């Protein structure tokens, strides 16, 4: 079993429904710890983090945001945290991507929103976009107070041995300044999400932020930024060009591609019962040049009714087909 570090002023664990006991009521840290890592579920590490928290902060509710970030994908982790932060419960967020590099760098704790939230993680840009979305860092410390860490039988694991025990200490009422050496929040490494770029030909150079399990392609652009192009977009990836029409439902894309504003407020390219990512041939980080689609570009879809004789109770039958120019025989 885990031996909790000996805090300077050990306390009886707080009531599960209460905040911490050595802080004033207006600065209580909500007893919620949210975990986000790239460690996956292939071994015991996620369970170990839960077990450490259960022993050191039994009053805390633990939420797994995700542990399936691509290994070492710091920008992808930063994107997921930034997209989620407005829904994340107040409390302590533990975020770790690329643990082998984090162990060699500095780990930090950052205070936000008047002490109602703390971000813990490596100073590698992972936390910066989400911090900016909630008003920025107010105070920060480097986590170098070893008495709040767990002893490791070998190489220190940043999450198990440092970040999770420190999260438990914060939930347990330990003041931020006791957990490490104060640093200027302005010295923290920025983490910038990519912005669309204006092309010389009037197009907009966008980047694929993510591809979900359905093959939907999220771009780093919002619908308002594409208003000048209209509802039909030309999407160029390398030498290949596809068109996508604004749709309300996947089925409206027919056999081609559609686009809409996704649940995060970003433009996403979608397909009906198919992968838009495979159709475009893109992965996260790839560039997609967006412009207004010409009337003669391929991929325009429409719905036509097939069959003249149907029963009274039969609903309309639609089959999305590609519009092709009619051939005229001489």
């Amino acid at each position: 079993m885990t031996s909790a570090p000996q805090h300077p002023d050990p306390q009886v664990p707080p009531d599960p429904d209460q905040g911490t006991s050595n802080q004033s009521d207006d600065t209580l840290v909500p007893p919620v710890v949210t975990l986000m890592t790239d460690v996956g579920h292939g071994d015991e590490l996620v369970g170990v983090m839960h077990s450490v928290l259960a022993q050191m902060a039994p009053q805390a509710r633990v939420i797994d945001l995700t542990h399936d970030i691509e290994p070492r994908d710091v920008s992808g982790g930063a994107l997921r945290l930034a997209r989620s932060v407005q829904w994340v419960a107040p409390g302590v967020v533990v975020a770790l991507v690329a643990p082998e590099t984090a162990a060699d760098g500095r780990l930090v704790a950052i205070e936000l929103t008047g002490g109602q939230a703390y971000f813990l993680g490596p100073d590698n840009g992972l936390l910066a976009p989400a911090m900016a979305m909630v008003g920025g860092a107010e105070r920060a410390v480097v986590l170098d107070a070893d008495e709040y860490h767990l002893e490791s039988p070998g190489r220190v694991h940043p999450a198990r041995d440092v970040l999770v025990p420190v999260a438990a200490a914060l939930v347990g009422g330990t003041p931020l300044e006791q957990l490490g050496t104060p640093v200027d929040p302005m010295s923290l490494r920025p983490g910038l999400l990519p912005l669309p770029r204006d092309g010389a030909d009037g197009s907009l150079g966008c980047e694929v932020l993510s591809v979900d399990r359905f093959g939907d392609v999220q771009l780093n652009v919002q619908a308002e930024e594409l208003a000048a192009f209209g509802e039909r977009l030309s999407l160029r990836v390398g030498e290949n060009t596809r068109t996508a029409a604004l749709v309300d439902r996947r089925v409206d894309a027919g056999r081609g591609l559609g686009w809409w504003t996704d649940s995060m407020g970003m433009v996403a390219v979608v397909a009906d019962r198919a992968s838009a990512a495979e159709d475009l041939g893109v992965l996260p980080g790839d560039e997609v040049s967006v412009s207004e689609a010409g009337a003669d570009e391929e991929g325009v879809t429409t719905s036509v009714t097939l069959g003249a004789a149907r029963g009274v109770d039969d609903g309309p039958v639609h089959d999305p087909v590609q519009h092709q120019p009619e051939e005229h025989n001489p």
Side-chain angles (χ1 to χ4, degrees):
M1 302 296 287
T2 300
S3 297
Q6 295 300 309
H7 293 188
D9 184 20
Q11 301 178 34
V12 176
D15 185 280
D17 294 324
Q18 300 296 323
T20 57
S21 60
N22 66 342
Q23 295 174 312
S24 62
D25 290 342
D26 58 350
T27 60
L28 295 179
V29 180
V32 178
V33 178
T34 300
L35 305 175
M36 186 194 81
T37 73
D38 63 347
V39 302
H41 292 86
D43 61 18
E44 71 281 3
L45 186 56
V46 172
V48 167
M49 289 190 286
H50 277 256
S51 292
V52 170
L53 285 166
Q55 295 174 78
M56 298 181 66
Q59 76 277 22
R61 297 179 177 90
V62 183
I63 298 171
D64 292 297
L65 188 61
T66 181
H67 296 286
D68 293 324
I69 297 166
E70 288 296 318
R72 306 177 184 87
D73 185 6
V74 174
S75 61
L79 170 66
R80 280 155 182 77
L81 186 56
R83 291 194 311 193
S84 308
V85 69
Q86 61 183 308
W87 293 284
V88 170
V92 181
V93 173
V94 172
L96 180 66
V97 174
E100 70 278 14
T101 58
D104 297 326
R106 65 178 185 176
L107 299 172
V108 294
I110 302 162
E111 182 183 87
L112 308 106
T113 63
Q116 288 294 298
Y118 291 88
F119 283 1
L120 311 183
D123 183 20
N124 61 359
L126 176 65
L127 307 175
M131 286 193 307
M133 294 188 67
V134 295
E138 296 172 0
R139 294 192 297 159
V141 300
V142 174
L143 298 176
D144 54 10
D146 293 344
E147 63 268 29
Y148 291 96
H149 305 169
L150 296 180
E151 292 186 6
S152 174
R155 186 174 176 84
V156 171
H157 191 282
R160 179 196 65 195
D161 302 328
V162 181
L163 299 177
V164 166
V166 168
L170 283 168
V171 170
T174 303
L176 178 68
E177 58 270 18
Q178 291 186 18
L179 299 173
T181 303
V183 294
D184 184 352
M186 296 300 294
S187 71
L188 299 175
R189 183 173 178 178
L192 302 177
L193 297 179
L195 298 175
R197 303 179 303 277
D198 292 325
D201 58 356
S203 64
L204 194 63
C206 301
E207 184 172 313
V208 177
L209 290 179
S210 65
V211 175
D212 68 15
R213 63 185 300 175
F214 301 103
D216 295 352
V217 178
Q218 185 186 61
L219 301 178
N220 65 330
V221 67
Q222 295 181 316
E224 294 79 5
E225 300 172 86
L226 302 179
F229 298 146
E231 295 186 353
R232 292 186 58 250
L233 303 178
S234 175
L235 309 175
R236 188 174 73 250
V237 180
E239 299 299 320
N240 299 319
T241 301
R242 302 284 282 116
T243 61
L246 179 63
V247 297
D248 290 323
R249 305 171 302 164
R250 291 181 184 276
V251 68
D252 296 334
R255 295 176 183 172
L257 297 176
W259 69 274
W260 59 28
T261 297
D262 67 13
S263 62
M264 298 296 177
M266 308 302 289
V267 167
V269 184
V270 302
D272 181 30
R273 304 181 191 181
S275 168
E278 290 183 3
D279 192 315
L280 289 169
V282 295
L283 296 170
D286 287 347
E287 182 171 328
V288 178
S289 179
V290 181
S291 59
E292 181 178 3
D296 58 345
E297 290 191 35
E298 66 174 10
V300 183
T301 61
T302 187
S303 296
V304 297
T305 302
L306 301 180
R310 292 195 300 273
V312 174
D313 294 332
D314 292 338
V317 176
H318 297 283
D319 182 26
V321 298
Q322 297 284 338
H323 249 334
Q324 299 292 345
E326 295 183 3
E327 295 185 2
H328 298 279
N329 295 323

